[in-house]
Amino acid sequence: MRIWKLGFAGFLVAAFVVGFGSGEQARTERISGSAGDVLDDDPVGRLKVFVYELPSKYNKKILQKDPRCLNHMFAAEIFMHRFLLSSPVRTLNPEEADWFYTPVYTTCDLTPNGLPLPFKSPRMMRSAIQLISSNWPYWNRTEGADHFFVVPHDFGACFHYQEEKAIERGILRMLQRATLVQTFGQKNHVCLKEGSITVPPYAPPQKMQTHLIPEKTPRSIFVYFRGLFYDVGNDPEGGYYARGARAAVWENFKDNPLFDMSTEHPTTYYEDMQRAVFCLCPLGWAPWSPRLVEAVIFGCIPVIIADDIVLPFADAIPWEEIGVFVDENDVPNLDTILTSIPPELILRKQRLLANPSMKQAMLFPQPAEAGDAFHQVLNGLARKLPHGPDVFLKPGEKILNWTAGPVGDLKPW
């Protein structure tokens, strides 16, 4: 069997991993060069944001109906709203605003199992845009080019959880000129428009804090993963879910002692990640998942298996230095790839991951803290200023087609 060709090498790696105590891990390494400087940016004083006051049916009432929305991985839209209401970058004078924000909770429509249903989202978003364009002059002068929206669905403003249908839908026409703040990111994809800001999915900071274990705990697990390998309910024939990458992980390494994998999520999930050297972060229905955030927070080197993924705050976080990228077609060689990484490179990645600023940038804490994901979003917006001449339309000029798109999206919300 191919995996047992590792034989003695596998034994050495396992022994090597057990020796990874935090005497080495506790040391941190500052991110060098422009990436580190960007990560430390302070956006306060560099931009002003006007927050539209919408009727509560677009946000607060939806949350009151289902408080579970506060804890799911799409919750960034809720916490971004709360942050901006009390942020020093907020202005109550729209005439001096650089950016305009419309607080719409488009993912807070959950199934009994807690999965978001995106089907009402386009109508809800259209309704909100019609409202602000009718009651304020600012949308109409740019058709949204100086507005930003948080759209943390699987495929952003394409508003569908299945890629094929998301591509068919495309980005909601009303948002074609706006800046989109979204978790979805994939190069050359119709659901990622140029100029979008890719953010991490929401992971509960307080919950993760309660599961921290002593820093000197050895990392005795080489490769760790908990999650689905197949989605029989939505992909009964197989091969479509995760483009077959998760299935390939399971088929090739389910019996490999270096791989600790299961579909079960144990109560020690967070603790186990802190005992692992590598944490698999494969694509699912979308390229991203909260595992990426969890891996960074717990110092587990993320093994990113998602071709052409655009990662959160890529201009601030040196993903190539802290993670390992494996092409989806190379999954059968995953054991060889990981066991071939020199120990000194593993240690360096761990030192970078131990940098507090790296972890902070991945979180949406309550209350907000300097350098967190909220501030990284503002940094991204500030770096787009000043607005170019193409942002403001000439008198009477129209670019967007309000009646374009699927017929169902045009129905009142």
Side-chain angles (χ1 to χ4, degrees):
M1 294 175 60
R2 188 186 68 83
I3 60 173
W4 299 118
K5 288 182 181 180
L6 290 173
F8 183 60
F11 170 79
L12 285 180
V13 169
F16 168 72
V17 172
V18 172
F20 264 120
S22 26
E24 290 285 353
Q25 293 173 7
R27 283 191 264 156
T28 66
E29 184 170 327
R30 189 186 184 279
I31 307 156
S32 61
S34 60
D37 297 333
V38 170
L39 196 63
D40 293 337
D41 277 355
D42 183 358
V44 176
R46 297 168 54 208
L47 77 165
K48 293 183 178 180
V49 176
F50 179 76
V51 180
Y52 286 113
E53 293 188 17
L54 301 185
S56 61
K57 69 176 184 177
Y58 291 98
N59 39 64
K60 294 178 183 177
K61 280 191 177 178
I62 298 175
L63 180 58
Q64 289 172 357
K65 182 180 176 183
D66 197 339
R68 292 179 301 166
C69 297
L70 284 169
N71 297 308
H72 69 49
M73 60 185 173
F74 304 99
E77 63 182 2
I78 299 171
F79 291 112
M80 194 73 200
H81 182 202
R82 292 182 175 183
F83 163 72
L84 286 170
L85 289 177
S86 59
S87 170
V89 306
R90 184 188 182 190
T91 177
L92 300 179
N93 179 6
E95 292 295 334
E96 66 177 18
D98 301 297
W99 290 98
F100 295 81
Y101 167 66
T102 307
V104 186
Y105 299 172
T106 58
T107 65
C108 192
D109 182 14
L110 306 181
T111 66
N113 292 330
L115 300 176
L117 295 170
F119 309 116
K120 297 178 184 177
S121 301
R123 290 187 290 129
M124 183 181 181
M125 187 66 81
R126 282 181 58 88
S127 173
I129 293 173
Q130 288 170 337
L131 179 67
I132 63 173
S133 65
S134 300
N135 290 278
W136 289 274
Y138 308 105
W139 173 275
N140 298 316
R141 70 184 185 180
T142 67
E143 288 195 326
D146 56 354
H147 289 55
F148 70 94
F149 294 80
V150 182
V151 282
H153 280 278
D154 288 280
F155 290 93
C158 288
F159 294 126
H160 208 286
Y161 62 90
Q162 291 184 337
E163 184 174 19
E164 184 177 314
K165 294 181 180 178
I167 291 173
E168 182 181 326
R169 287 187 52 83
I171 292 173
L172 185 69
R173 306 305 191 273
M174 305 300 299
L175 298 176
Q176 293 285 352
R177 284 175 56 80
T179 289
L180 303 180
V181 177
Q182 58 185 66
T183 44
F184 171 75
Q186 184 173 314
K187 297 174 186 175
N188 305 314
H189 199 286
V190 298
C191 298
L192 179 68
K193 66 189 292 287
E194 185 178 355
S196 297
I197 297 175
T198 309
V199 301
Y202 178 77
Q206 291 81 7
K207 181 180 178 181
M208 290 191 289
Q209 182 73 25
T210 62
H211 288 267
L212 291 176
I213 63 177
E215 289 184 357
K216 292 186 177 181
T217 304
R219 292 190 177 267
S220 55
I221 300 170
F222 191 57
V223 181
Y224 187 74
F225 178 78
R226 292 293 183 273
L228 290 178
F229 297 97
Y230 306 91
D231 188 344
V232 178
N234 294 299
D235 182 27
E237 296 181 5
Y240 186 65
Y241 176 62
R243 297 195 282 257
R246 292 198 186 197
V249 169
W250 178 250
E251 293 300 330
N252 283 278
F253 306 111
K254 59 186 176 183
D255 297 321
N256 189 320
L258 297 179
F259 285 69
D260 186 339
M261 304 188 301
S262 172
T263 57
E264 301 296 326
H265 266 258
T267 56
T268 57
Y269 174 67
Y270 285 156
E271 289 82 356
D272 292 343
M273 293 187 85
Q274 295 169 79
R275 296 186 179 98
V277 176
F278 295 105
C279 288
L280 300 186
C281 300
L283 74 162
W285 284 111
W288 59 272
S289 81
R291 289 180 190 84
L292 195 65
V293 178
E294 295 161 350
V296 171
I297 296 302
F298 294 130
C300 186
I301 298 170
V303 179
I304 299 160
I305 307 171
D307 293 355
D308 296 323
I309 188 172
V310 175
L311 290 158
F313 308 133
D315 54 353
I317 297 176
W319 290 104
E320 293 285 349
E321 295 185 51
I322 65 173
V324 175
F325 290 77
V326 177
D327 290 345
E328 293 165 26
N329 287 337
D330 284 342
V331 165
N333 302 315
L334 187 56
D335 52 352
T336 303
I337 292 170
L338 296 181
T339 56
S340 300
I341 299 175
E344 58 271 18
L345 183 55
I346 291 177
L347 286 169
R348 182 170 189 272
K349 290 179 183 294
Q350 291 179 329
R351 288 195 299 269
L352 285 169
L353 284 168
N355 189 318
S357 62
M358 189 84 67
K359 303 177 188 298
Q360 189 76 336
M362 298 295 285
L363 296 175
F364 295 92
Q366 302 293 305
E369 300 173 7
D372 61 17
F374 299 117
H375 290 85
Q376 299 307 324
V377 171
L378 294 183
N379 282 336
L381 293 170
R383 287 193 286 275
K384 293 176 177 291
L385 298 175
H387 292 301
D390 58 333
V391 165
F392 296 93
L393 304 179
K394 298 174 183 177
E397 182 182 8
K398 299 289 182 183
I399 296 178
L400 298 178
N401 182 351
W402 286 62
T403 59
V407 176
D409 290 359
L410 306 181
K411 296 178 181 179
W413 177 71

